[in-house]
């Protein structure tokens, strides 16, 4: 059971280049999320999806686009990378709201470290 | 969303109990208290959650104040592997369009001394 897999793990881009981060989960989770983490800061939500074919903006969506064409995959795209987008990106997935237990347990991937020069 | 306040850092010795505090004075009646932790160079992982009653699982215990304005994550015997950033998060119950997001703050960096 792989859980949440992110590819690539590391990437270096030049300003203005584009790239896509892929997140894949094998737990049949409905909900998927993209976060970024910068030094000394907590995780900030970029975009999320509550089901196949749906996406929504989080706290810091500018400069990013996402797509959820298949339930198991959530793609994060940078159309024109900027140095401010240098960060570690984490993908997560969850079953969603469990009304009985009150849990919304997120399972995270190992992260993708992106450097924009 | 209601906010949480945690100390920036704490230290503990190996095999001793650790009490990680979290203040959430603006918590609403339907907010669940979740804890996650992030080990070095890894993604966060779920630890425990609760609403009103104290909770125990294999990883930790969660003690919730009677007025729910604060909570404490308890690691009964800290190990070196418990060194991590611990996040206390309020998770509102979904309503209307539903809210499935978790908002992470800066958390508490726990150092465990051998």
């Amino acid at each position: 059971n792989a859980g949440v897999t992110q590819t690539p793990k590391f990437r270096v881009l030049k300003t203005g280049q584009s790239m896509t981060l892929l997140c894949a989960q094998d737990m049949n989770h409905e909900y998927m999320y993209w976060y970024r983490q910068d030094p000394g800061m907590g995780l900030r939500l970029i975009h999320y999806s509550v089901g196949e074919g749906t996406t929504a903006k989080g706290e810091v969506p500018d400069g990013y686009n996402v797509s959820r064409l298949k339930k198991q995959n959530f793609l994060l795209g940078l159309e024109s990378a900027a140095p401010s987008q240098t960060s570690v990106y984490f993908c997560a997935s969850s079953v969603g709201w469990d009304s009985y237990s009150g849990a919304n347990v997120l399972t995270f991937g190992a992260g993708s470290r992106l450097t924009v020069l | 969303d209601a906010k949480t306040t945690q100390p920036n850092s704490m230290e503990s010795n190996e095999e001793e109990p650790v009490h990680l505090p979290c203040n959430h004075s603006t918590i609403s009646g339907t907010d669940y208290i979740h804890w996650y932790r992030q080990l070095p160079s890894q993604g966060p992982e779920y630890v425990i959650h609760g609403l009103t009653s104290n909770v125990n699982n294999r990883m930790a215990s969660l003690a919730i104040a009677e007025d729910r304005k604060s909570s404490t994550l308890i690691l009964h015997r800290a190990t070196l592997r418990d060194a991590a950033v611990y996040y206390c998060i309020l998770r509102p119950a979904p309503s209307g369009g539903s809210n499935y997001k978790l908002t992470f703050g800066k958390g508490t960096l726990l150092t465990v001394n051998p």
Side-chain angles (χ1 to χ4, degrees):
Chain A
N1 189 348
V4 177
T5 304
Q6 295 182 226
T7 52
K9 289 185 169 48
F10 302 94
R11 183 75 186 269
V12 178
L13 288 178
K14 294 181 179 178
T15 297
Q17 287 185 318
S18 63
M19 75 158 295
T20 300
L21 296 175
L22 171 63
C23 176
Q25 52 94 5
D26 61 1
M27 298 170 285
N28 201 34
H29 284 172
E30 285 292 334
Y31 309 101
M32 298 188 74
Y33 316 79
W34 275 107
Y35 286 88
R36 63 176 287 175
Q37 185 172 39
D38 302 301
M41 300 187 70
L43 283 81
R44 291 183 292 170
L45 184 64
I46 305 171
H47 285 281
Y48 65 101
S49 168
V50 298
E52 183 178 316
T54 71
T55 62
K57 294 180 179 179
E59 292 176 78
V60 289
D62 294 342
Y64 304 95
N65 56 75
V66 287
S67 64
R68 182 96 182 270
L69 299 179
K70 292 183 179 180
K71 185 177 183 179
Q72 63 268 34
N73 296 336
F74 195 29
L75 280 63
L76 178 71
L78 286 71
E79 290 186 349
S80 179
S84 60
Q85 294 178 304
T86 293
S87 188
V88 180
Y89 292 84
F90 289 99
C91 176
S93 70
S94 72
V95 170
W97 171 253
D98 182 329
S99 58
Y100 176 73
S101 71
N104 176 24
V105 177
L106 271 62
T107 302
F108 282 83
S112 297
R113 183 174 295 275
L114 175 66
T115 301
V116 183
L117 303 175
Chain B
D1 290 348
K3 294 193 181 301
T4 62
T5 303
Q6 299 177 254
N8 290 332
S9 61
M10 291 183 64
E11 268 192 60
S12 173
N13 295 320
E14 200 174 10
E15 297 189 4
E16 291 184 354
V18 181
H19 288 65
L20 295 162
C22 181
N23 287 320
H24 28 78
S25 58
T26 59
I27 190 171
S28 74
T30 55
D31 285 345
Y32 283 79
I33 302 160
H34 287 241
W35 284 82
Y36 281 72
R37 72 179 185 180
Q38 187 174 17
L39 303 173
S41 300
Q42 294 188 26
E45 64 176 345
Y46 168 81
V47 178
I48 200 168
H49 80 283
L51 182 61
T52 56
S53 304
N54 294 343
V55 184
N56 301 298
N57 66 20
R58 63 175 181 82
M59 291 181 71
S61 296
L62 176 60
I64 301 172
E66 196 168 336
D67 63 6
R68 301 210 326 124
K69 293 185 177 182
S70 65
S71 60
T72 303
L73 180 70
I74 302 166
L75 307 178
H76 295 287
R77 288 186 65 191
T79 68
L80 297 178
R81 197 193 174 280
D82 291 321
V85 177
Y86 286 79
Y87 298 97
C88 170
I89 302 160
L90 297 185
R91 167 41 168 112
S95 60
S98 297
N99 173 14
Y100 297 97
K101 301 176 289 183
L102 286 182
T103 301
F104 287 75
K106 296 183 181 180
T108 297
L109 174 63
L110 176 65
T111 301
V112 180
N113 301 314

